[in-house]
Amino acid sequence: MKKLFTFITLFALCATTYAQEFEKYFTDATLRLDYIFSGNVQQQAIAVDEICKIPRWYGKRRRLTELPMEGNGQVTVRHHRTQEVIYRNSFSTLFQEWLSYDEAKTKTRAFENVFLVPFPKDTVDVTIDLRNNRREVVTTLTHMVVPNDILIRSIGNKKVTPYETLQQAADTTKCIHIAFVAEGYTEAEMQTYLNDCNTAMEALFAHEPFKSMRSRFNIVAVKSPSAESGTSEPAKGDWRNTALHSNFDTFYSGRYLTTLHLKDLHNWLAGTPYEHIIVLVNTDSYGGGGILNSYNLSMTHHAAFKPVVVHEFGHSFAGLADEYAYGYEQIPMYPHDIEPWEKNITTMVDFDSKWAKMMPKKATIPTPEPADLKDKKSPNRKNWKIGAYEPAGYSLHGVYRAYPDCRMRTNNNPEFCPVCKQALIDVIDFYTK
Ligand SMILES: [Zn+2]
């Protein structure tokens, strides 16, 4: 009885959702929400930092309350008077990743986070919630936003950072907006930056499904200049004054290159057509990172630039998980008794929600890796089969990937595996169909 009731409620909800018009609740502008997430392993808190209004809205205009992936956190916008949910999005954060490190057991830290939602016509309640790796909501904040509040800062109207359009989408009213952002390039190095943007863009479109769906992407290169060239390398005592204050050694992990300055990032972007962000860092040291619906960041002058920028885009755009493990058992990022929400890994707790239907009959679990996988130069990929391979998701056992190799596993493999490809197609369709 209860199940039937839930079904009817859900059906009614969906029907209402589809009837919603963007114009009914929102104007063609962006509400930028800046937060400080703070805390440690024991407790976390969310506080509103600043609220801004930016001209134009470059995110989704339909399926406003649907999510293509669950994420490690969600932003939910409700109409204040009716409490109807009118917009949702999901995300991941460096703060939540930091909570999994030992440092978070003894220190309390604060992290900036910035989220974009369409600018509401009426008063709304915005809820931010953060989930742990058991997919439970552990921290939440709800605050009211009154659209004519005089303290909503208006930005992005003048002195917009110069940008160039690298590719215009076939239909700019129904496309995915990507902005490249320059980090560690001086004014004199902007041509190098533009060349690097083109290299990254062509690397992305050399991969399926991006190749076949290329016309659905609108891509700009935002020319944010840095006072100094390069990026900071704390392990070498080398700190530089750059546009986004990026650095290696994030969380004391050598090749982990990130920026924690989310507000600076969005200040450079204000007024440009952007939703998904790819930061290019002018360095030849290996590194990068990608955080769902936050940003993707990659070095540009290392031999692995092309595979890395595409791999990190898999994280930031579609929330794909890493399909590798290190040579030793990590602190489990994915508890083996919980099905992770990421589409390209499974713990077999709910395999039907993953690629069970794509599995060949009589496949053994774990599926043995093909003998030619180790032969990095000429593996016979045509003979590879979908299965449930270990390791994946930083776990030597108990977390599985779908294919012998994938862009989300190694830099050597030239493409995404069939399961990642399908996940990417689903996300692209979600935003553009
Ligand atoms: Zn994959």
Side-chain angles (χ1 to χ4, degrees):
M1 232 2 234
K2 189 158 182 260
K3 267 202 172 136
L4 182 68
F5 175 75
T6 311
F7 173 75
I8 292 166
T9 317
L10 275 174
F11 182 77
L13 265 175
C14 288
T16 325
T17 303
Y18 280 110
Q20 274 176 7
E21 298 284 332
F22 179 89
E23 288 74 22
K24 185 175 173 191
Y25 295 108
F26 300 105
T27 62
D28 185 22
T30 298
L31 180 70
R32 178 180 134 181
L33 304 156
D34 297 1
Y35 298 95
I36 302 293
F37 294 177
S38 66
N40 50 46
V41 161
Q42 280 79 35
Q43 56 180 8
Q44 301 91 41
I46 303 169
V48 177
D49 180 351
E50 189 167 36
I51 295 175
C52 302
K53 182 179 185 177
I54 313 175
R56 305 293 310 276
W57 166 249
Y58 295 101
K60 61 181 179 180
R61 284 171 182 265
R62 51 186 294 284
R63 303 176 82 167
L64 294 173
T65 61
E66 292 174 62
L67 294 175
M69 72 289 289
E70 184 175 289
N72 293 332
Q74 293 181 3
V75 51
T76 304
V77 181
R78 287 183 179 81
H79 189 263
H80 177 71
R81 189 171 45 78
T82 64
Q83 285 299 296
E84 181 186 1
V85 174
I86 55 175
Y87 178 86
R88 290 171 82 201
N89 205 359
S90 54
F91 59 81
S92 294
T93 68
L94 275 171
F95 173 59
Q96 290 160 294
E97 190 184 328
W98 175 75
L99 290 173
S100 70
Y101 291 82
D102 280 346
E103 196 186 6
K105 292 176 186 164
T106 55
K107 285 186 186 163
T108 296
R109 285 192 58 182
F111 291 72
E112 295 179 357
N113 277 290
V114 176
F115 304 110
L116 308 176
V117 304
F119 200 88
K121 286 184 171 170
D122 295 329
T123 300
V124 292
D125 293 327
V126 178
T127 299
I128 300 291
D129 65 55
L130 303 180
R131 291 129 196 265
N132 61 14
N133 64 1
R134 305 191 66 80
R135 301 172 66 175
E136 301 157 335
V137 174
V138 285
T139 314
T140 183
L141 173 80
T142 297
H143 63 101
M144 197 166 81
V145 176
V146 182
N148 61 0
D149 184 341
I150 57 161
L151 290 182
I152 295 177
R153 183 182 294 274
S154 183
I155 60 169
N157 298 291
K158 48 197 171 191
K159 289 194 177 170
V160 172
T161 313
Y163 66 90
E164 292 186 16
T165 301
L166 303 181
Q167 169 176 307
Q168 193 160 53
D171 179 355
T172 52
T173 64
K174 225 171 47 173
C175 69
I176 294 159
H177 286 274
I178 298 178
F180 285 104
V181 183
E183 163 65 348
Y185 295 84
T186 61
E187 287 281 10
E189 292 172 317
M190 276 307 154
Q191 191 52 51
T192 306
Y193 163 66
L194 290 174
N195 295 343
D196 293 341
C197 289
N198 274 298
T199 302
M201 181 172 77
E202 294 309 327
L204 184 67
F205 291 127
H207 287 73
E208 288 292 3
F210 298 109
K211 193 176 173 180
S212 311
M213 303 172 104
R214 180 168 186 155
S215 65
R216 303 198 204 176
F217 290 85
N218 200 83
I219 304 185
V220 298
V222 178
K223 299 191 275 187
S224 39
S226 289
E228 289 183 88
S229 182
T231 182
S232 297
E233 299 197 47
K236 297 178 182 169
D238 184 356
W239 288 95
R240 302 199 187 179
N241 183 10
T242 56
L244 302 177
H245 312 289
S246 65
N247 62 268
F248 279 94
D249 304 305
T250 304
F251 309 147
Y252 301 99
S253 168
R255 66 180 194 180
Y256 201 5
L257 174 62
T258 68
T259 176
L260 299 177
H261 297 253
L262 274 287
K263 291 170 70 179
D264 287 336
L265 173 62
H266 284 266
N267 287 343
W268 285 113
L269 284 163
T272 71
Y274 81 100
E275 184 184 26
H276 299 277
I277 302 167
I278 302 178
V279 177
L280 295 186
V281 187
N282 185 19
T283 178
D284 56 14
S285 300
Y286 185 91
I291 305 132
L292 174 65
N293 288 337
S294 182
Y295 67 78
N296 151 6
L297 182 146
S298 166
M299 48 61 195
T300 49
H301 299 142
H302 184 278
F305 169 35
K306 290 197 257 183
V308 167
V309 74
V310 179
H311 171 95
E312 302 302 346
F313 193 68
H315 289 310
S316 68
F317 176 69
L320 297 175
D322 282 320
E323 295 181 15
Y324 55 80
Y326 301 102
Y328 47 91
E329 190 84 14
Q330 290 290 109
I331 299 167
M333 182 84 90
Y334 303 103
H336 296 175
D337 60 334
I338 300 284
E339 185 64 37
W341 57 262
E342 288 90 341
K343 290 179 181 171
N344 62 328
I345 56 169
T346 182
T347 52
M348 293 289 168
V349 170
D350 183 12
F351 191 39
D352 285 344
S353 70
K354 297 295 167 65
W355 60 90
K357 286 196 184 71
M358 295 162 83
M359 284 282 276
K361 280 173 193 156
K362 294 183 191 167
T364 49
I365 299 171
T367 312
E369 289 185 340
D372 63 7
L373 181 63
K374 298 282 184 290
D375 181 7
K376 292 271 164 41
K377 283 197 182 106
S378 56
N380 193 358
R381 294 191 180 86
K382 280 189 187 133
N383 292 338
W384 286 1
K385 287 190 169 66
I386 290 176
Y389 298 86
E390 288 178 330
Y394 320 115
S395 214
L396 293 174
H397 301 289
V399 184
Y400 306 86
R401 64 185 196 274
Y403 214 54
D405 208 350
C406 175
R407 172 55 62 247
M408 297 313 291
R409 177 165 165 78
T410 68
N411 287 335
N412 301 312
N413 200 61
E415 56 187 4
F416 288 100
C417 72
V419 166
C420 285
K421 274 182 201 158
Q422 189 55 52
L424 288 163
I425 290 168
D426 291 345
V427 180
I428 296 168
D429 279 344
F430 175 84
Y431 285 121
T432 57
K433 246 185 160 177

